[in-house]
Amino acid sequence: MMSLSAASTTGETQARAGRRPDMLKNGAIQVLLLINAFIMVYPLVVMVLSSFKTNAEIFTSPFALPASFSLANVEKVLAETNFVRYLANSVGVTGAAVLLILVFSTMAAYAIARYEFRFSSLVLMFFLSGMTVPLKLAIIPLFIQLDTLHLIDTYAGLVLVYVAMGIPSAIFIMTGFLRSLPREMEESARIDGASEWKVMTAIMLPLARPALVIVAIQNAVPIWNDFFFPLILINSDDRKTLPQGLTVFMGEFTTNWGVLFTGLSLAALPITLLYLVLSRQFIAGITQGAVK
């Protein structure tokens, strides 16, 4: 009995000793995550607080709370600029581009992943080759081509550029996810008489919803924040997107930083809300992709 009691005591001691390094490791990971969250969030907090300050407050106390939470800067943004127009342009361009990316990349990825044909790997590599060369390196021939097609200073030209830029990575993500789905479900649907279109839209796409959310967020954020292509392809003020339109707050000699920070805060709000709404599915998609 004494030996059994000593053995159990020794086992409990060893178990506690084994759990202690795990607890220390988890605690260190939590601390690192908190530090990373602080580094990511703090600049956003400073930007939002600066939107309530005047230029003098921003330069004298950049990290302090504003003297008063006045909405004067918001009134200037809405009354003295075309901010609402810029916002509508960004929403329209980003929404159209993401929708087209989802439609075309999903159909291409579905054909590559779910059908067996001779050159499927070659077709996939053709699409993936678009990820090897940044589209900005081809801006001169791209500009000439769009000018020939009379698409300069149009929404269509800008949307087509974003679609071409986002399709390669979208096909890469969707193909990998669709290949991991079981074939028994679509085969049973075909036996029941479902058409190929019905199989894809009613069975496969609902299962691939996490991947669709990943593709949507991955493309919506850079398109929403892009400054380069609107600067090159858009000339009219009423067609400018938010990143390009916000430059009106920056003068040659002076800049109204309070108004600029207000515009930046309002510009970041829609895409932040979109991420918060879709964050659960975004994380679920990453987790499922890692497991599969």
Side-chain angles (χ1 to χ4, degrees):
M1 295 292 293
M2 293 293 293
S3 60
L4 290 175
S5 176
S8 62
T9 304
T10 303
E12 292 177 0
T13 305
Q14 291 177 349
R16 292 195 193 98
R19 287 196 297 267
R20 191 170 301 165
D22 293 337
M23 293 175 62
L24 293 175
K25 181 180 178 181
N26 292 334
I29 293 174
Q30 294 295 329
V31 171
L32 290 176
L33 291 174
L34 289 174
I35 294 174
N36 181 70
F38 176 79
I39 294 174
M40 296 294 106
V41 173
Y42 185 69
L44 299 178
V45 174
V46 173
M47 179 183 69
V48 173
L49 292 178
S50 298
S51 65
F52 296 100
K53 298 179 180 180
T54 62
N55 274 0
E57 284 186 88
I58 291 174
F59 284 105
T60 56
S61 54
F63 303 110
L65 293 174
S68 63
F69 288 88
S70 173
L71 298 179
N73 290 333
V74 177
E75 294 174 358
K76 288 183 180 179
V77 168
L78 298 178
E80 299 178 7
T81 67
N82 289 330
F83 180 85
V84 176
R85 180 67 180 182
Y86 302 149
L87 178 63
N89 291 341
S90 286
V91 171
V93 169
T94 303
V98 171
L99 179 62
L100 291 176
I101 290 172
L102 289 175
V103 171
F104 292 130
S105 64
T106 300
M107 290 192 295
Y110 184 81
I112 295 171
R114 310 305 292 185
Y115 294 105
E116 297 180 1
F117 55 96
R118 185 174 181 181
F119 298 108
S120 60
S121 298
L122 184 62
V123 173
L124 178 60
M125 292 304 299
F126 169 76
F127 283 115
L128 296 185
S129 64
M131 300 172 60
T132 60
V133 179
L135 197 59
K136 294 178 182 179
L137 295 180
I139 188 60
I140 294 177
L142 180 63
F143 184 89
I144 295 173
Q145 184 178 16
L146 291 176
D147 186 47
T148 304
L149 297 173
H150 304 289
L151 292 176
I152 297 296
D153 198 26
T154 63
Y155 298 127
L158 193 59
V159 169
L160 289 176
V161 170
Y162 288 140
V163 171
M165 187 170 59
I167 278 181
S169 62
I171 289 179
F172 174 73
I173 295 172
M174 293 300 301
T175 301
F177 198 91
L178 289 171
R179 278 178 173 172
S180 65
L181 298 178
R183 293 186 176 274
E184 288 78 8
M185 300 182 66
E186 59 181 310
E187 289 174 356
S188 62
R190 291 191 182 99
I191 293 174
D192 292 338
S195 63
E196 294 299 322
W197 177 257
K198 189 71 173 179
V199 170
M200 184 182 74
T201 57
I203 298 176
M204 292 292 105
L205 290 188
L207 295 176
R209 186 179 300 172
L212 292 172
V213 173
I214 292 176
V215 170
I217 295 179
Q218 184 190 28
N219 286 280
V221 173
I223 292 174
W224 182 271
N225 295 327
D226 184 54
F227 176 78
F228 180 79
F229 287 111
L231 179 65
I232 301 298
L233 303 178
I234 300 298
N235 301 320
S236 303
D237 183 71
D238 60 343
R239 293 189 178 93
K240 290 181 179 179
T241 57
L242 269 176
Q244 187 185 8
L246 291 176
T247 57
V248 300
F249 303 130
M250 303 180 66
E252 182 178 359
F253 302 105
T254 60
T255 299
N256 193 333
W257 293 102
V259 177
L260 178 60
F261 281 122
T262 301
L264 292 173
S265 301
L266 293 175
L269 183 61
I271 203 70
T272 303
L273 293 177
L274 176 65
Y275 179 79
L276 292 176
V277 171
L278 300 178
S279 60
R280 180 174 298 180
Q281 295 186 12
F282 180 74
I283 295 171
I286 294 176
T287 305
Q288 291 182 24
V291 172
K292 291 176 181 179

